[in-house]
């Protein structure tokens, strides 16, 4: 009989876990994009060998627990205020790589003022923005990025433009600001998409050392529990609906 322990060895694995990922079991729902992006952030920091030089800022929302999983220095921020906190950290420690990790309810709603002004000032930071078009942590309410017709806890009949306004394409707005040097929208639902997102995150961190301004990486993701879909159906729904409103690709690269 074959012993599984003779087969499943580190040297036989195609993918090796980054040393920056802790052994804490992630609390995210199965199929959630957050876990994938956490892995990519950890890999990029490890490959650039900047663990001791990196400071992350996590605000309120599902992203608040990033400090449990990625072994770098972290600062917690109030809801939406991560860009303001990151501004202070970066100016006090200009030799550091400073990044924020934010969701759409946090960044595009309560933190809309902070993100717009930090990007307009061209703060030398990286913004990682997870857009799953819903408030995931607090019960699945409508977010600024929720699509028209999308059902949420606060739009049970679907988002209505006359009542709720239109979905906010915050990344397109940020791309127009003079302080941003790199603005891109990616995803993480396939291996090819994951590779593109990793390359985007790496370029954003590399821009920090070049003092080029603010790098902004949006990742269109899923919230299958908030959307009330299986992980597979959530990926399909995202491709069929989210990508039409939020098309993937670079918007700005200076």
């Amino acid at each position: 009989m074959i012993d599984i322990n003779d087969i499943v060895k580190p040297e036989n694995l195609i993918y090796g876990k980054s040393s920056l990922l802790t052994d804490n079991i992630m609390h995210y729902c199965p199929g959630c994009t957050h876990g994938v992006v956490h892995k990519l952030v950890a890999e990029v920091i490890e490959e650039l060998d900047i663990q001791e030089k990196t400071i992350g800022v996590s605000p309120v929302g599902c992203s608040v627990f990033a400090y449990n999983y990625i072994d770098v220095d972290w600062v917690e921020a109030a809801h939406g205020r991560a860009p303001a906190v990151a501004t202070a950290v970066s100016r006090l420690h200009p030799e550091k790589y400073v990044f924020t990790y934010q969701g759409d309810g946090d960044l595009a709603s309560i933190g809309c003022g902070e993100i717009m002004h930090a990007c307009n000032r061209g703060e030398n930071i990286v913004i990682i923005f997870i857009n799953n078009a819903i408030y995931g942590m607090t019960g699945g309410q409508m977010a600024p990025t929720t699509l028209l017709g999308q059902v949420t806890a606060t739009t049970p009949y679907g988002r209505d433009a006359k009542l709720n306004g239109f979905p906010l394409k915050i990344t397109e707005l940020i791309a127009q600001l003079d302080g941003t040097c790199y603005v891109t929208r990616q995803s993480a639902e396939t291996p090819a998409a994951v590779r593109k997102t990793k390359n985007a995150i790496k370029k954003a961190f590399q821009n920090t050392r070049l003092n080029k301004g603010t790098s902004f990486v949006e990742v269109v993701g899923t919230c299958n529990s908030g959307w009330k879909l299986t992980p597979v159906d959530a990926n399909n729904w995202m491709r069929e609906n989210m990508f039409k409103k939020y098309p993937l690709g670079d918007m700005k690269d200076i």
Side-chain angles (χ1 to χ4, degrees), residues 50 53-56 95-99 205-206 208-209:
I50 57 173
K53 302 176 183 177
T54 300
I55 300 175
E95 76 284 1
K96 299 291 187 179
Y97 294 79
V98 181
F99 75 99
F205 274 92
Q206 290 171 329
T208 299
R209 282 285 55 84

Side-chain angles (χ1 to χ4, degrees), residues 27-202:
H27 73 287
Y28 300 117
C29 303
C32 177
T33 307
H34 278 297
V36 177
V37 180
H38 281 14
K39 176 181 76 74
L40 299 182
V41 172
E43 288 179 356
V44 165
I45 294 172
E46 182 177 33
E47 290 171 11
L48 294 177
D49 193 22
I50 57 173
Q51 179 180 6
E52 301 301 324
K53 302 176 183 177
T54 300
I55 300 175
V57 183
S58 60
V60 176
C62 290
S63 58
V64 72
F65 294 113
Y67 61 78
N68 277 333
Y69 310 122
I70 305 175
D71 186 17
V72 296
D73 290 330
W74 287 90
V75 179
E76 265 193 72
H79 204 357
R81 313 310 184 216
V85 174
T87 295
V89 174
S90 178
R91 292 190 179 194
L92 288 168
H93 300 281
E95 76 284 1
K96 299 291 187 179
Y97 294 79
V98 181
F99 75 99
T100 73
Y101 187 94
Q102 302 176 256
D104 51 286
D106 175 88
L107 182 144
S109 182
I110 192 170
C112 188
E114 280 75 8
I115 191 61
M116 296 297 288
H117 287 287
C119 289
N120 194 49
R121 292 192 303 268
E123 300 295 341
N124 195 40
I125 59 177
V126 174
I127 308 291
I128 298 174
F129 168 47
I130 311 300
N131 176 13
N132 55 26
I134 204 167
Y135 276 87
M137 172 180 271
T138 55
Q141 299 90 342
M142 185 194 78
T145 53
T146 297
L147 302 181
L148 292 178
Q150 186 176 349
V151 173
T152 72
T154 49
T155 56
Y157 302 105
R159 180 171 188 165
D160 183 348
K162 293 182 178 179
L163 179 63
N164 311 114
F166 292 91
L168 181 60
K169 300 180 78 171
I170 187 77
T171 304
E172 278 79 354
L173 294 175
I174 286 171
Q176 306 307 309
L177 301 177
D178 291 338
T180 53
C181 65
Y182 179 52
V183 180
T184 187
R185 179 184 289 127
Q186 301 295 334
S187 63
E189 84 286 3
T190 66
V194 168
R195 285 194 294 272
K196 290 181 180 179
T197 299
K198 181 177 179 179
N199 289 335
I201 294 172
K202 179 174 286 188

